[in-house]
Amino acid sequence: MGAAAERAKAENEEWAGVTPDAARRLVGAAVQAFAERGYHATTTRDIAGRAGMSPAALYIHYKTKEELLYRISGIGHEKALRIMGAAAEAGGTATERLADAVRTFARWHAEHHTTARVIQYELQALSTEHYAEITGLRRRTDRLLRGIIQDGADGGEFLVDDVPGTTLAVLSLCVDVARWFTADGPRTPDEVGALYADLVLRMVGARVTDKNG
Amino acid sequence: MGAAAERAKAENEEWAGVTPDAARRLVGAAVQAFAERGYHATTTRDIAGRAGMSPAALYIHYKTKEELLYRISGIGHEKALRIMGAAAEAGGTATERLADAVRTFARWHAEHHTTARVIQYELQALSTEHYAEITGLRRRTDRLLRGIIQDGADGGEFLVDDVPGTTLAVLSLCVDVARWFTADGPRTPDEVGALYADLVLRMVGARVTDKNG
DNA sequence: CGCGTCGCTAAGCGCTTGCTCAGCAACGCG
DNA sequence: CGCGTTGCTGAGCAAGCGCTTAGCGACGCG
């Protein structure tokens, strides 16, 4: 299986929850198009074309183009929230949980940079109601990360002056991976995750136990 | 002078090099509109309206809507490059230069978050030639920052495993300020600059000389 | 005054956009 | 077989887009 085929398969699995098949193909096509050109520069004809359909077929599965973006945003942000939740609720020290959170969160933004770019940078195109709903998911993700950092600061593992500010910076750092990451760059998603986990542990003043300790 | 008037004045000074007056007003209007809605969602009628003109007047000063974005991107990226250059070429230790670079660079992205958002997140709307030109400016900014970090690593001031990766992360952190910063948030641009300078010094393993040392 | 120039506007052109609608082939069910 | 349902297409509508063009009032200059 070639690299392109593998990527297509991974992208298909990402939207496994979307049925029927045509609706899933449309979501995949929309993510690609939105990530490449942006929401407003993408036409419904383009999306339908990529999914192998006529423009009219799109409207059987989605009421509007904005609904497609909303569905993508919802699924993507829920996945991001689950990743952060898994790390926050795992056992271990605050240092271990923070490293795990940043490693998996940053890695996901690299591996799924197409989806991540759409859900992080095209939010403003959502309707007011949908925007508010998605913002709620992001606030929950933020709270989980802040909880880990607060734990570490309270327990003396971390040396942090400004917990909300540091949380914001860490989240910002991970999210922005979606902007610059490309599959043909020099770094794999795993490497990005490892690098970022290391950098963030330094940011919070955690004692690093590897070669830099 | 009210806050809004002060902001308008600051925005006017930002484009002082653009003449005549009508062309400058159009640039200001375009920056606001692009930052709010994005390039593709902004109409030439909207830009002209904000500048107090008819749609046709825009085309006396700029050949296309894209040229407006190109001018804004050029001026903005040159300013960003100058900020990074001033810090890189100043005297002092690598630690001092890095702190200065991050403080001023992050602060500019907060203070001019409207402009910064446009030049950092609407680049893909540029023509191929213009995009290449702007990318050149960004590479120069990147090289300046990498130089500082490399100096600190070589001289033993910093403990950095991956200089290009760390440079990328620092730049990404500062740039992303433009995405989340709002004037009505809890932090001033100065505070963002100070916080980010502290966080970045920790990332590179610099010895911190203040209360955290 | 006469006349060209400059900055601008009202009107609108050609095109693309998001979206709709009538109709059609395939299918399941009695 | 008959018939409704499902998933889709070809054609196209109203609206809005970037951009153009003809022309107008204010001004400087001789």
Side-chain angles (χ1 to χ4, degrees):
Chain A
M1 184 158 61
E6 267 181 52
R7 226 177 300 126
K9 194 190 158 202
E11 202 147 282
N12 220 45
E13 278 165 15
E14 190 174 358
W15 308 106
V18 182
T19 53
D21 181 70
R24 177 168 49 251
R25 263 157 46 218
L26 283 166
V27 168
V31 166
Q32 277 191 15
F34 291 163
E36 270 175 38
R37 314 203 209 293
Y39 174 83
H40 288 293
T42 300
T43 67
T44 54
R45 285 161 176 80
D46 183 19
I47 298 170
R50 285 175 196 243
M53 303 175 194
S54 77
L58 192 152
Y59 293 91
I60 292 158
H61 302 283
Y62 302 97
K63 275 216 298 278
T64 62
K65 177 175 131 181
E66 191 266 354
E67 195 195 326
L68 256 169
L69 178 63
Y70 169 60
R71 289 274 234 271
I72 292 165
S73 293
I75 294 171
H77 274 101
E78 267 158 25
K79 179 66 185 170
L81 177 58
R82 270 200 305 277
I83 288 169
M84 190 63 82
E89 284 150 28
T93 63
T95 304
E96 285 164 354
R97 280 180 288 143
L98 180 59
D100 193 35
V102 171
R103 188 181 317 114
T104 53
F105 199 69
R107 182 175 55 206
W108 184 82
H109 277 79
E111 191 142 35
H112 300 271
H113 60 101
T114 319
T115 303
R117 200 168 302 167
V118 174
I119 72 164
Q120 301 290 3
Y121 295 104
E122 304 292 332
L123 283 183
Q124 54 156 12
L126 288 170
S127 72
T128 313
E129 297 81 21
H130 289 164
Y131 182 83
E133 197 181 320
I134 298 295
T135 300
L137 288 173
R138 310 184 98 226
R139 247 196 301 273
R140 286 171 62 193
T141 306
D142 181 272
R143 265 202 297 268
L144 286 169
L145 180 63
R146 182 154 63 238
I148 302 176
I149 294 177
Q150 189 70 60
D151 279 0
D154 291 346
E157 280 181 65
F158 304 157
L159 276 168
V160 179
D161 295 326
D162 177 354
V163 170
T166 304
T167 305
L168 179 62
V170 172
L171 222 39
S172 162
L173 194 62
C174 294
V175 161
D176 203 48
V177 168
R179 183 177 56 88
W180 58 260
F181 188 88
T182 58
D184 54 306
R187 271 167 268 268
T188 65
D190 276 338
E191 286 164 358
V192 172
L195 171 66
Y196 271 44
D198 176 52
L199 290 173
V200 167
L201 288 192
R202 290 157 169 248
M203 281 168 71
V204 299
R207 221 155 303 149
V208 182
T209 56
D210 66 11
K211 61 193 159 177
N212 303 309
Chain B
M1 182 157 63
E6 266 182 53
R7 228 177 300 127
K9 196 191 156 202
E11 203 148 285
N12 220 44
E13 279 166 14
E14 190 175 359
W15 308 108
V18 182
T19 55
D21 182 70
R24 177 168 49 251
R25 263 157 48 221
L26 283 165
V27 168
V31 167
Q32 276 191 16
F34 291 164
E36 270 175 39
R37 313 204 211 292
Y39 175 82
H40 288 293
T42 299
T43 69
T44 54
R45 284 162 178 82
D46 183 19
I47 297 169
R50 286 176 196 242
M53 304 176 194
S54 76
L58 192 153
Y59 293 91
I60 292 159
H61 301 284
Y62 302 96
K63 275 214 298 277
T64 62
K65 178 174 133 182
E66 191 267 354
E67 194 194 327
L68 257 170
L69 177 63
Y70 169 61
R71 288 275 233 271
I72 292 164
S73 294
I75 294 170
H77 273 101
E78 265 158 25
K79 179 67 184 169
L81 177 59
R82 271 199 305 277
I83 288 168
M84 191 62 83
E89 284 149 27
T93 63
T95 305
E96 285 164 355
R97 281 180 287 145
L98 181 59
D100 193 34
V102 170
R103 180 170 36 245
T104 53
F105 199 71
R107 182 175 57 207
W108 184 81
H109 277 80
E111 191 142 35
H112 299 272
H113 59 102
T114 319
T115 303
R117 202 168 302 168
V118 174
I119 72 165
Q120 301 290 2
Y121 295 105
E122 304 290 335
L123 283 183
Q124 52 154 12
L126 288 170
S127 71
T128 313
E129 296 80 20
H130 289 164
Y131 182 84
E133 198 180 320
I134 298 296
T135 301
L137 288 172
R138 310 185 97 225
R139 248 196 300 273
R140 286 171 61 193
T141 306
D142 181 273
R143 265 201 298 268
L144 287 169
L145 180 63
R146 181 154 61 237
I148 302 175
I149 294 177
Q150 189 70 60
D151 278 359
D154 291 346
E157 281 182 63
F158 303 157
L159 276 169
V160 179
D161 294 326
D162 177 356
V163 170
T166 304
T167 304
L168 179 63
V170 172
L171 222 39
S172 161
L173 194 62
C174 294
V175 161
D176 203 49
V177 168
R179 183 176 55 89
W180 58 259
F181 188 87
T182 58
D184 54 306
R187 270 166 269 267
T188 66
D190 276 338
E191 286 164 358
V192 172
L195 171 64
Y196 271 45
D198 176 51
L199 291 173
V200 167
L201 288 192
R202 290 157 169 246
M203 280 169 69
V204 299
R207 223 156 301 149
V208 182
T209 56
D210 65 13
K211 63 195 157 180
N212 302 309

